Amino acid sequence: MGEGGQRSKWEYWWIALCLSFLMCFGEQVLAQIRYSIPEEVAEGSVLGNIAKDLGFDVRTLVERRFRIVSESKDALFQVNQDTGVLYVQNKIDREDLCDGNGVCSVNLKIIVENPLEIQYVEVEITDVNDNTPTFPEKEQRFEIAEHTALGTRFQIQAARDADVTVNSVRHYKLNQNEQFDIDVRERHDEKIPFLVLKKSLDREKHSSHRLTLTAIDGGNPPKSGTLNITVSVLDINDNRPVFSQEMYSAVVQENVPVGTIVIKVNATDADEGSNGELEFSLSRNLDRKVYELFEIDHLTGEIRVKGKVDYEETEIFKLDVQASDKGQPPLTTESGLVITVQDVNDNTPDIEITSLSNMVSENANPGTAISLISVTDKDSSLNGKVRCTLSDNVPFELKPSIKDNMYSLVIKERLDRERVSNYDITITAIDLGQPPLSNFKTLSVQLLDVNDNSPQFPQNPLNLYVFENNSPGASIFSVNATDKDLSENAIISYQIITGDRTRNDFASMLNINPETGSIRALKSFDFEQLKTFQFTVVATDSGSPPLSSNVTVNVFILDENDNAPVILSPVSTNGSAEGVQEIPRNVNAGHLVTKVRAYDADVGYNGWLLFSLQEITDHSLFGLDRYTGQIRTLRSFTETDEAEHKLIILVKDNGNVSLSATATVIIKAVEPKEAFAASNVKNTVKDDEENNATFYLIITLGLVSVLFVISIIVLIVIQCSKPTDYSCKYLQDANYDGTLCHSIQYRSGEKRYMLVGPRMSIGSTTVPGSNGNTLVVPDHRRRDSGEVGPSEISRNMINYD
C-alpha cells in the first residue's frame, strides 16, 4: 500500500476515534454508545473499552458475566471479560452486511448480571474503497443512422460499484474521438452515462466506431472499470418512439400470484410501417432480481409478476423500460419505472428467550428479573408491531425495556414452592396486522425450596395411656411430625422438654429417638405413686435457620392389679388379721356382730373387694354380706349352740388375676351381763386402738380421695376441652352402709364410662337409657393418632364405714 493508502487508513481511524469520543460524550443524553470502524479491518482490532464507556467496574466483569448477546453464530464483535475491550472477532465486509445501504450499523446487546442490566451499543461500519466499478457487460453495441441529429443522446449501461458515498462511481470518461462525447445525468440516485453525437456521421466514410468508456469512483486512490462501445452507422429511421410518461410508478403487494399485471406502459411512433411498429423490453443493465421477479410483454407493454415478491427482501424496484421500432436502423427510447412493494402481514413474530436461570428461589423478591425476552417481526408498520402476553394465573409479568420489543420477565408476587413447585410460562407474541399473526414459546421455571415451613404435628395435645408395671426400655409411644419443605429443610429431629425447656425432669423417665420420634420409658411406672404427668416434644427441622414446633403429651398411668387387699379390721394386738368378738346370747336374728374392714391400693375392678366365708363352724347361725363385710346373725342362739364360733373370711379383689387376704373372727356368745362387763373393758382398750387406727385410716382415705378427685378432674378437663356436644355430669352416689366399692368402667361398645355402684355386681349392667350410677364421658380418643386407649379405666376402691 502506498503513502496515499496509509494516509487514508489513518484518516479513517481518526474519524473512528472521534466518533467514538462523541458517542461516549453523549452517553448521558442518548443512553446508547456508538462506535465507528472501517470495514476490512484486521481481526482483533480494538474499537474501545466498552466497560469503561458504560461505567462498569472492570474488576467485576467476570463475576457479573459481562457479555454480548448475539443472534448469529459468526458474531462480528466480541468483548474481553477481563479488560472490557470491544474488538473485531471476524472479518467485516460492509457490502455483504448491509447490501449497499447508505448507513451500515450493527446493534449489540450488552448484558451484565447481579443486578441485571442491559445496554445497547451501535457500531457503524464505514465504507472502504475495496470494490472496482464494473459494467454489466464488457461490450455495448449501438446502431445509429447516419442522418441522426447532432446532440442526440444514447443511454449507456451504467457501471455499478458496491461501495457507497464517495467510494461509488463519481464520473465517466470517454476516450478521445471526433464523433462522440459523454454526458452524465442523475436518475434513481445513480449516474447514467449517455453517448452524445457531436459530429454528423457519414456511413460512407466510417461504417463503425469503437469507443472505450471508463467509470471512475471517488476513492483515494480511485478505482476504475471500462466498457467497450461499438457504434454501427445505419441508414436513416428519423422518428423515435415516445412513451406516454417520462416516469412511471406502480404499487404491488408482496406475495401476489405469478402473472399479476403490475402496470402497462404505452409508447407511440410517428413513423409508418415497420418503422412505427414497437417492441417493449426491459433495459439490460438492471439488477438481477428485476429479471427474476418481473417480465414485460414485448407487444402490449404489460409488466407482469414472474416470481415471488417479498417486501422483507426488497421494498422498491427501479426499472428502465425500452421501446424500439422495427425500422432500419431501429430507434429506441427509454422511460423509468418505480415499483413499490406493499407489505403484507406474512411473517409471524419471532420470540427469543435469554434465560438467566430456570431455577428460582421461592423467597425471591417481587421485581426480580429471571429472563430477557426479545421479539422481532420482519414485517413493517403495524404488521411489525408486536404485543406480548403471558399465560394466565402465573406470578410473573413482562416489563418493557427502553428498546422496542424488548422485555424483562420479572416476578410479580410472592412465590410459594409448597403450593406450586413448577411453572410453565407461555409467552405469546401477536402482531397488529390484519389478520394478526402470533407465535408462542414456553419457559419452564422450577422453584427452589426455602426453609419457610415449620414441622407440624397432626394434633395437639396428645393423650397417652400406659399401664403401670411396664417393661423398662420398651417403646410406649411414637410422635410424628411432617414438614412441607424438601431435603434438609424437611429432615426432622425430636427432643423432650418441659416448661422451662430443659430435659432434666424426664431424663430418668423417658427417652426419645431423635430421628424416629419413638418414645421409650426408662423405668416402670407405678400407678399408686404417679397417676398422670405431662411433657412436651419439640420437632426441629434441619434448615438454616431451623424451624420448630412442639406438641404436649398428657400421660395417664393405668392401674393394674398389683396390690393385694389389706385387712384393716379386725387386727389383733400382734398385728395378725384375727379378732375376738363377744355378743350376748339373747341377740335376735339380723344382729350386727362385727364388720370386716379391708383396703386395696388399686382402683376400679382391681380395687373392688368381695367378701366370702372360707370356713365357719355353723352356717345357719352367721351370715356375711359379700359387699360390705358385715357379719350378722341369721337366727337367735339356742341352748344347744356352742359358745364360741370361728369364722375365716376371704377378701378378694376383682382383678383379672385376683389377689386376696384372709381375716379370722372368733365370736363368743356370753350371757348378757358378762357381755356388758366385757364390753366396757374392751371398749376402753378398743377405743384407744381404734382412735389410732381411725387417725391413720383418715389420712389414708384423704390421700387416696385427693388423688382420685384429681384424676377425675384431669380426665374431665381433657375430655371437655375437646369440641363436643356432650356434657360431663357426675351423678350423686346412693347412700349405703359398708365398703366403698365405686369403680369407673369404660365400655368401648357403648363409648361411655360406667360408674359402677357398690351394690352392682361385676357382671351387672345399667338399663339402657338410665343415668343411674353412670358418668357419661364422650369417647374422642383416636387410635390412629398414636393414643393408647385401655378397654377399662379404673379408679380407687376403699372400704370405710
Side-chain angles (χ1 to χ4, degrees):
M1 179 179 285
E3 181 179 354
Q6 291 288 344
R7 182 179 178 182
S8 175
K9 181 177 181 180
W10 282 112
E11 286 178 355
Y12 283 121
W13 276 105
W14 175 250
I15 293 173
L17 292 175
C18 290
L19 289 175
S20 299
F21 177 77
L22 290 175
M23 295 303 102
C24 296
F25 182 78
E27 181 184 0
Q28 299 299 327
V29 177
L30 300 177
Q32 183 170 350
I33 293 179
R34 291 182 175 86
Y35 294 98
S36 179
I37 188 171
E39 64 175 332
E40 304 295 340
V41 295
E43 296 178 7
S45 298
V46 175
L47 280 76
N49 194 313
I50 192 172
K52 292 183 178 179
D53 294 340
L54 291 174
F56 294 114
D57 187 355
V58 177
R59 296 170 295 179
T60 64
L61 297 182
V62 176
E63 180 182 353
R64 297 185 65 185
R65 295 188 64 199
F66 184 83
R67 66 191 186 277
I68 294 175
V69 178
S70 175
E71 299 179 358
S72 173
K73 295 182 179 179
D74 300 322
L76 297 177
F77 303 95
Q78 191 54 267
V79 65
N80 189 318
Q81 279 195 346
D82 296 325
T83 62
V85 170
L86 180 66
Y87 63 93
V88 177
Q89 181 172 263
N90 291 303
K91 182 180 178 180
I92 304 172
D93 189 341
R94 185 185 185 280
E95 287 68 36
D96 290 343
L97 183 63
C98 297
D99 195 22
N101 292 335
V103 178
C104 180
S105 61
V106 177
N107 291 319
L108 304 179
K109 182 166 59 179
I110 308 298
I111 294 180
V112 293
E113 300 177 7
N114 301 319
L116 176 65
E117 291 186 40
I118 304 174
Q119 296 290 343
Y120 298 93
V121 176
E122 182 178 357
V123 179
E124 180 182 1
I125 311 300
T126 60
D127 187 45
V128 173
N129 190 25
D130 58 341
N131 291 280
T132 301
T134 57
F135 289 89
E137 297 178 359
K138 293 183 178 181
E139 184 176 0
Q140 186 171 357
R141 303 181 68 88
F142 292 94
E143 294 180 342
I144 304 175
E146 60 179 345
H147 293 144
T148 301
L150 298 180
T152 302
R153 297 183 304 131
F154 303 90
Q155 183 175 337
I156 305 172
Q157 55 182 300
R160 299 193 179 275
D161 195 330
D163 298 322
V164 295
T165 62
V166 296
N167 295 323
S168 63
V169 176
R170 305 304 297 169
H171 60 277
Y172 292 88
K173 181 180 178 182
L174 190 65
N175 67 312
Q176 188 68 30
N177 68 93
E178 295 179 355
Q179 303 295 130
F180 298 93
D181 201 354
I182 194 71
D183 183 26
V184 179
R185 293 190 178 184
E186 295 280 343
R187 182 190 295 175
H188 305 319
D189 299 327
E190 289 183 312
K191 296 183 183 299
I192 307 299
F194 289 85
L195 190 65
V196 181
L197 182 63
K198 68 179 181 178
K199 185 179 180 180
S200 297
L201 298 174
D202 188 349
R203 183 176 177 277
E204 284 68 26
K205 288 183 180 180
H206 298 285
S207 61
S208 65
H209 299 271
R210 294 187 179 276
L211 306 173
T212 301
L213 180 65
T214 303
I216 305 170
D217 64 21
N220 188 9
K223 295 179 181 293
S224 63
T226 60
L227 172 68
N228 296 321
I229 300 174
T230 301
V231 178
S232 298
V233 182
L234 302 177
D235 204 6
I236 186 169
N237 178 19
D238 57 350
N239 287 291
R240 291 180 174 276
V242 178
F243 279 100
S244 60
Q245 294 178 221
E246 185 177 352
M247 180 68 69
Y248 291 91
S249 63
V251 177
V252 62
Q253 284 191 339
E254 66 173 327
N255 303 325
V256 294
V258 174
T260 301
I261 298 176
V262 179
I263 193 173
K264 180 179 180 180
V265 296
N266 293 310
T268 58
D269 194 312
D271 294 322
E272 293 182 355
S274 62
N275 291 331
E277 294 180 8
L278 302 180
E279 286 187 348
F280 298 95
S281 63
L282 298 177
S283 178
R284 294 190 298 173
N285 63 339
L286 301 178
D287 189 274
R288 179 177 52 85
K289 284 186 180 178
V290 174
Y291 302 110
E292 293 176 355
L293 299 180
F294 302 98
E295 62 182 358
I296 189 169
D297 190 301
H298 298 295
L299 299 178
T300 63
E302 292 178 343
I303 298 177
R304 300 175 183 272
V305 175
K306 179 182 178 183
K308 181 180 179 181
V309 180
D310 190 353
Y311 171 86
E312 285 70 43
E313 290 186 5
T314 308
E315 301 178 17
I316 296 177
F317 293 94
K318 298 175 182 179
L319 291 73
D320 290 325
V321 182
Q322 293 180 342
S324 301
D325 59 27
K326 297 182 179 180
Q328 290 299 325
L331 298 179
T332 301
T333 188
E334 293 187 353
S335 178
L337 170 62
V338 176
I339 300 177
T340 302
V341 181
Q342 194 174 59
D343 184 42
V344 173
N345 191 26
D346 61 341
N347 290 281
T348 59
D350 184 39
I351 304 172
E352 177 193 357
I353 300 177
T354 304
S355 296
L356 302 180
S357 175
N358 61 349
M359 307 290 286
V360 179
S361 177
E362 66 173 316
N363 66 346
N365 294 324
T368 302
I370 63 173
S371 288
L372 301 177
I373 312 298
S374 176
V375 183
T376 57
D377 195 314
K378 295 180 180 180
D379 295 319
S380 64
S381 188
L382 290 179
N383 296 330
K385 296 291 184 181
V386 181
R387 177 171 55 90
C388 282
T389 59
L390 291 182
S391 51
D392 297 333
N393 302 322
V394 293
F396 302 94
E397 63 180 347
L398 288 175
K399 284 194 174 181
S401 178
I402 60 174
K403 194 170 184 179
D404 291 342
N405 295 333
M406 289 291 298
Y407 302 89
S408 296
L409 182 63
V410 301
I411 299 173
K412 181 174 65 174
E413 58 191 49
R414 290 290 179 183
L415 305 176
D416 187 1
R417 188 207 63 80
E418 288 70 40
R419 185 171 60 89
V420 180
S421 61
N422 182 78
Y423 289 96
D424 290 326
I425 306 170
T426 301
I427 303 167
T428 304
I430 306 174
D431 62 28
L432 303 182
Q434 290 299 329
L437 299 179
S438 64
N439 195 4
F440 71 91
K441 278 192 177 181
T442 300
L443 174 64
S444 181
V445 177
Q446 186 77 28
L447 299 188
L448 298 176
D449 185 50
V450 173
N451 191 29
D452 56 350
N453 290 277
S454 59
Q456 296 296 322
F457 289 94
Q459 72 178 81
N460 191 5
L462 298 174
N463 293 334
L464 171 62
Y465 300 90
V466 182
F467 281 100
E468 65 175 332
N469 303 321
N470 55 293
S471 300
S475 175
I476 61 171
F477 193 51
S478 181
V479 295
N480 182 39
T482 58
D483 197 311
K484 295 180 180 179
D485 295 318
L486 295 176
S487 302
E488 294 293 330
N489 298 330
I491 298 177
I492 299 174
S493 61
Y494 303 90
Q495 63 173 337
I496 296 176
I497 63 170
T498 58
D500 57 356
R501 302 191 69 82
T502 62
R503 300 184 57 194
N504 297 335
D505 294 347
F506 295 99
S508 60
M509 295 175 56
L510 301 172
N511 176 264
I512 188 169
N513 187 315
E515 296 179 356
T516 64
S518 176
I519 299 175
R520 298 179 181 273
L522 301 181
K523 69 175 187 178
S524 180
F525 297 117
D526 187 355
F527 175 82
E528 286 70 38
Q529 295 182 2
L530 179 65
K531 292 179 173 54
T532 181
F533 64 90
Q534 185 183 81
F535 65 90
T536 300
V537 177
V538 176
T540 306
D541 61 31
S542 301
S544 179
L547 300 177
S548 63
S549 63
N550 54 31
V551 62
T552 300
V553 181
N554 298 312
V555 182
F556 299 94
I557 309 302
L558 301 180
D559 183 50
E560 286 191 340
N561 191 28
D562 58 346
N563 290 279
V566 177
I567 304 299
L568 300 179
S569 175
V571 178
S572 63
T573 56
N574 60 2
S576 62
E578 181 177 340
V580 178
Q581 183 68 38
E582 293 183 351
I583 60 173
R585 293 183 64 89
N586 60 351
V587 297
N588 298 322
H591 175 74
L592 178 62
V593 178
T594 186
K595 180 179 180 180
V596 178
R597 297 178 176 88
Y599 162 76
D600 195 314
D602 295 320
V603 296
Y605 286 125
N606 296 328
W608 187 1
L609 303 181
L610 294 177
F611 302 85
S612 61
L613 287 172
Q614 191 174 19
E615 293 183 14
I616 186 170
T617 55
D618 190 346
H619 288 280
S620 65
L621 186 56
F622 300 101
L624 174 67
D625 190 301
R626 66 177 300 189
Y627 298 109
T628 64
Q630 293 178 351
I631 301 175
R632 294 181 182 271
T633 57
L634 298 178
R635 58 179 175 80
S636 301
F637 280 91
T638 61
E639 293 180 357
T640 59
D641 291 330
E642 295 181 1
E644 182 175 315
H645 298 270
K646 181 179 180 181
L647 286 75
I648 299 178
I649 294 124
L650 177 67
V651 182
K652 181 171 65 174
D653 60 30
N654 280 274
N656 289 332
V657 179
S658 62
L659 303 177
S660 61
T662 58
T664 301
V665 177
I666 298 175
I667 300 175
K668 293 182 178 181
V670 298
E671 295 300 325
K673 293 182 179 180
E674 294 178 2
F676 178 78
S679 174
N680 288 337
V681 175
K682 287 184 179 181
N683 285 339
T684 302
V685 176
K686 187 176 182 180
D687 286 342
D688 293 336
E689 294 178 352
E690 288 189 352
N691 285 337
N692 293 332
T694 301
F695 175 75
Y696 294 119
L697 179 62
I698 290 174
I699 292 176
T700 302
L701 290 175
L703 292 175
V704 172
S705 299
V706 168
L707 293 176
F708 174 72
V709 170
I710 290 174
S711 300
I712 293 297
I713 290 174
V714 170
L715 179 61
I716 293 173
V717 169
I718 292 173
Q719 296 295 334
C720 292
S721 63
K722 301 178 180 179
T724 179
D725 294 335
Y726 298 102
S727 60
C728 301
K729 297 181 180 180
Y730 286 97
L731 298 180
Q732 187 175 1
D733 300 339
N735 295 329
Y736 65 93
D737 180 24
T739 302
L740 177 62
C741 300
H742 288 74
S743 66
I744 298 174
Q745 178 182 8
Y746 176 73
R747 299 194 174 184
S748 59
E750 301 177 10
K751 295 187 177 180
R752 62 177 179 173
Y753 291 92
M754 302 296 297
L755 180 62
V756 182
R759 294 299 178 183
M760 298 171 63
S761 65
I762 297 177
S764 65
T765 59
T766 303
V767 178
S770 173
N771 291 330
N773 294 338
T774 302
L775 173 64
V776 180
V777 181
D779 180 26
H780 292 297
R781 292 165 298 153
R782 298 170 54 190
R783 300 303 175 92
D784 56 353
S785 65
E787 297 184 10
V788 179
S791 61
E792 178 181 310
I793 300 178
S794 302
R795 292 296 180 259
N796 295 351
M797 292 189 288
I798 305 172
N799 288 334
Y800 65 92
D801 287 331

